[in-house]
Amino acid sequence: MKDKKRPLILVTNDDGITAKGIRTLVDIASKLGDVVVVAPDKPQSAMGHAITINDTLYVKEFKMHDYDHKEYTTSGTPVDCVKMASHEILERKPDLCVSGINHGSNSAINVIYSGTMSAAMEAGIEGIPAIGFSLCDYDADADFEPARPYVENIIKQVLENGMSKGVILNVNIPKATAEELKGVKICRQANAYWEEEFDKRTNPYGKDYYWLTGKFVNDDKGEDTDEWALEHNYISIVPTQFDLTAHHYIKELNTWEFGN
Amino acid sequence: MKDKKRPLILVTNDDGITAKGIRTLVDIASKLGDVVVVAPDKPQSAMGHAITINDTLYVKEFKMHDYDHKEYTTSGTPVDCVKMASHEILERKPDLCVSGINHGSNSAINVIYSGTMSAAMEAGIEGIPAIGFSLCDYDADADFEPARPYVENIIKQVLENGMSKGVILNVNIPKATAEELKGVKICRQANAYWEEEFDKRTNPYGKDYYWLTGKFVNDDKGEDTDEWALEHNYISIVPTQFDLTAHHYIKELNTWEFGN
């Protein structure tokens, strides 16, 4: 018999259901609530807030592991997974959605390209408290062990305190040992960006093609940013929102000549 | 000889390079500056801020029309198009990026799913003043004529006034005749959302699949929102930003027990 007071936790990610990061998150979440996993059947990194509207969606039960809880894959994006979970798979609205743990950083401007954070954002839009977790290590076999106690405590804090409507947590964990990790810092998104470089090649049939590459540039010297925290071995938490209005700029625009 | 003072305007969209909406925007932009078009070779609606990192990108010159300016298609997303334009195709940084005119609304929460607005956002991230235009009419043969003078004036205003770093304009135009259109309103993003419904079907081989559908719900009664403006036949302009930090929530989070 399951304890009725245990929260229902939806777990998703963008690296696909078999990734090491989501397995770690499932382990941690299972200690704190009743877990259901709905995740993409293949990697969906950098999908941003994409949704599937011109194609069909498939859902399949996923039975690779010997768990008490249910797991499902969908053929869609991370955002599709959250939509499918809330409206088709789960019998009731989850108390929390956790996304990740992503293999790679979603700090600074990366939040906007991130499938991990878009899944969490989608849950937030639907009124479900949500957290996106990312480890700053792209390795498929990255070491998630040092992050465990922090991830567990952050989930506990959200379950205990609840979340303000419209706010989602973006948690990034530096690549560091348990001894090196210094704790948690609440931060703002650093004003950093990618300087793109396209790697131009020629295919065997003589046609040019490109790979998108680039280097991350952080000109933001603030000590209250996620980049600063990560560089100094702190776990960064940025409260993140989906009201994109630049409220401070409304007054300025009202002085422009729109011919009304 | 081209006038050196004419601004360089990058035109893109998410409906693909042949859409009626981008053709209208190219016409308008050509009056105001030197135009280069870099747009997806196929429709890319609802792609959000997706980028192509696990696949190759192709660029092709597009010569369907008898223009003075150059046009290119890419095999990527709207965001890829802006990245390719800035870093590979254009010889100098454009003075403005205009995206659209989208066939369909990008008001309220739609901004977050929108390929049109993500392209504009990407330009904004790269420090290029940017505007996304959308007409609230999904028809492939939608009537863009009533919108023309407004689109032209909004582009002029941005070229004259410049834009604050980190702010992008999200312009939505109601489906209305020239007589019905009442002018422009500066707005905030309405707090509205989609209530998803999945249309479940069975394919000829007996396998279930889904189509994502839903209805748009606006519980936001404010008269300063984009939804209010559009309902009342005003063109809405929402200043939009890519700093997603919920700054108001940082103080609250600092009272939580993160065990530091």
Side-chain angles (χ1 to χ4, degrees), chain A residues 225-240:
Chain A
T225 71
D226 48 4
E227 288 305 315
W228 189 94
L230 293 165
E231 267 166 43
H232 291 80
N233 278 341
Y234 288 98
I235 290 161
S236 67
I237 304 186
V238 177
T240 298

Side-chain angles (χ1 to χ4, degrees), chain A residues 81-256:
Chain A
C81 286
V82 173
K83 286 182 185 287
M84 292 295 287
S86 317
H87 299 281
E88 199 62 34
I89 299 169
L90 298 176
E91 278 166 30
R92 69 174 184 90
K93 191 170 167 175
D95 301 295
L96 178 71
C97 171
V98 290
S99 179
I101 302 172
N102 192 57
H103 295 241
S105 166
N106 282 315
S107 60
I109 196 65
N110 297 310
V111 65
I112 220 166
Y113 305 100
S114 159
T116 305
M117 274 306 292
S118 291
M121 291 269 244
E122 181 61 32
I125 291 168
E126 302 192 10
I128 304 162
I131 319 168
F133 291 100
S134 307
L135 178 69
C136 300
D137 186 348
Y138 291 89
D139 197 323
D141 195 35
D143 181 10
F144 291 92
E145 290 313 306
R148 272 182 188 265
Y150 295 96
V151 171
E152 184 173 337
N153 185 38
I154 292 165
I155 296 176
K156 264 189 196 158
Q157 289 293 311
V158 171
L159 288 171
E160 276 167 28
N161 294 299
M163 286 285 293
S164 174
K165 228 189 140 196
V167 179
I168 302 104
L169 300 188
N170 182 16
V171 178
N172 281 275
I173 303 148
K175 182 181 174 177
T177 64
E179 294 68 37
E180 286 165 344
L181 280 179
K182 283 195 197 143
V184 169
K185 275 221 185 294
I186 313 301
C187 307
R188 65 172 172 88
Q189 174 185 326
N191 185 15
Y193 59 96
W194 285 90
E195 211 164 79
E196 272 79 25
E197 285 156 24
F198 286 90
D199 183 350
K200 188 175 179 176
R201 302 186 181 189
T202 306
N203 76 12
Y205 314 102
K207 209 168 154 188
D208 290 337
Y209 67 96
Y210 298 85
W211 288 102
L212 172 57
T213 69
K215 70 171 197 284
F216 187 68
V217 184
N218 181 16
D219 292 334
D220 191 333
K221 298 290 170 242
E223 298 194 353
D224 56 347
T225 71
D226 48 4
E227 288 305 315
W228 189 94
L230 293 165
E231 267 166 43
H232 291 80
N233 278 341
Y234 288 98
I235 290 161
S236 67
I237 304 186
V238 177
T240 298
Q241 61 186 16
F242 48 83
D243 174 8
L244 307 188
T245 312
H247 290 276
H248 69 281
Y249 206 63
I250 287 181
K251 204 173 157 192
E252 160 70 20
L253 282 183
N254 272 315
T255 68
W256 291 21

Side-chain angles (χ1 to χ4, degrees), chain B residues 40-94:
Chain B
D41 58 11
K42 56 192 167 298
Q44 291 271 358
S45 293
M47 282 305 284
H49 214 93
I51 51 175
T52 304
I53 52 170
N54 291 319
D55 203 355
T56 53
L57 284 166
Y58 288 87
V59 180
K60 224 161 67 180
E61 213 180 318
F62 181 78
K63 290 184 178 169
M64 189 181 278
H65 303 270
D66 187 25
Y67 287 127
D68 279 347
H69 66 258
K70 293 250 189 190
E71 303 209 341
Y72 302 86
T73 60
T74 90
S75 57
T77 65
V79 174
D80 291 329
C81 286
V82 173
K83 287 183 184 285
M84 293 294 287
S86 318
H87 299 280
E88 199 62 36
I89 299 171
L90 298 175
E91 277 166 29
R92 70 174 184 87
K93 191 170 168 174

Side-chain angles (χ1 to χ4, degrees), chain B residues 154-169:
Chain B
I154 291 165
I155 295 176
K156 265 188 195 159
Q157 289 293 311
V158 171
L159 287 171
E160 276 167 27
N161 295 299
M163 286 286 294
S164 175
K165 228 189 139 196
V167 180
I168 302 104
L169 301 189

